[in-house]
Amino acid sequence: MTDISDDAPPTTRKNVSHDQSMTAVAVTIARPASELYDYFRDFSKLPTFMENVVRVEKLDDTRSHWEVKAPAGQTVEWTSTVTTDEPGRRIGWQSDPDADVENSGTVEFADAGARGTVVTATIAYDPPAGAIGKLVAKMFQREPAIQARRDLRRFKQLMETGEVATAAMTVAQHEKEDR
């Protein structure tokens, strides 16, 4: 996996291999960059808004182990290392070479004045089974480009309102309906 810490816009970067898929998405969140960075940097909290992330276990200050839902009820796992850590500004990572899905990326937090912070996630990954694997992941709504957009929207909801809106019924709603 190639490091994508290049400062060029994602669509013009020259250091991403043709076998990789890359996505960059952004959202403006009405909170200070430092607050958003602090929440995101505690990787164990990411499952609170990342739909496909089952768990993230902190191994040490720079390494974490990830378990993520994959198509057809499967999960994939990998260990990642933080490659860039600029408090309040940027977090970059790289998966270990033996990852089920090799990936790397950055999440940047840029001040947007009175509007809050622009959060930009750029992710590069090598889909298992190449283009076929990417197509299967897309069919099952597990493709990282699709998920990154949805996850950032949920992050915005969580940071601005304290909860993630969902169409799913809660246990209490199910119980009330069954009466």
Side-chain angles (χ1 to χ4, degrees):
M1 173 69 56
T2 306
D3 177 20
I4 64 164
S5 60
D6 184 342
D7 286 337
T11 55
T12 62
R13 288 193 175 129
K14 295 181 181 178
N15 60 348
V16 175
S17 79
H18 294 290
D19 296 333
Q20 294 175 327
S21 292
M22 183 176 337
T23 188
V25 293
V27 66
T28 302
I29 302 175
R31 300 297 267 210
S34 60
E35 185 177 317
L36 299 175
Y37 165 89
D38 289 345
Y39 191 92
F40 204 98
R41 183 60 175 89
D42 181 352
F43 299 137
S44 67
K45 291 181 178 178
L46 298 182
T48 62
F49 66 91
M50 290 184 161
E51 182 178 45
N52 288 328
V53 177
V54 176
R55 69 180 173 84
V56 181
E57 178 185 349
K58 180 180 175 180
L59 302 176
D60 59 38
D61 286 342
T62 61
R63 295 178 60 246
S64 55
H65 185 79
W66 292 63
E67 181 181 355
V68 176
K69 294 176 191 173
Q74 302 295 311
T75 60
V76 292
E77 297 187 36
W78 64 82
T79 298
S80 285
T81 302
V82 172
T83 56
T84 305
D85 193 357
E86 300 172 29
R89 289 199 57 237
R90 177 191 283 195
I91 303 165
W93 73 90
Q94 172 76 48
S95 66
D96 288 356
D98 63 344
D100 288 346
V101 177
E102 286 190 59
N103 63 89
S104 62
T106 59
V107 178
E108 298 182 45
F109 307 87
D111 181 45
R115 293 180 17 235
T117 303
V118 176
V119 179
T120 304
T122 305
I123 303 165
Y125 65 99
D126 287 332
I132 293 171
K134 184 176 180 182
L135 179 62
V136 169
K138 197 174 264 190
M139 287 172 35
F140 282 94
Q141 301 291 300
R142 301 277 190 235
E143 202 261 335
I146 295 168
Q147 280 309 124
R149 188 173 54 253
R150 291 177 179 169
D151 290 345
L152 275 186
R153 274 197 309 253
R154 281 190 292 277
F155 185 49
K156 175 182 176 71
Q157 291 174 2
L158 181 62
M159 294 294 96
E160 290 181 351
T161 68
E163 63 186 8
V164 176
T166 178
M169 291 178 61
T170 66
V171 172
Q173 289 170 322
H174 279 291
E175 289 172 354
K176 184 177 179 182
E177 188 176 87
D178 291 340
R179 291 182 189 159

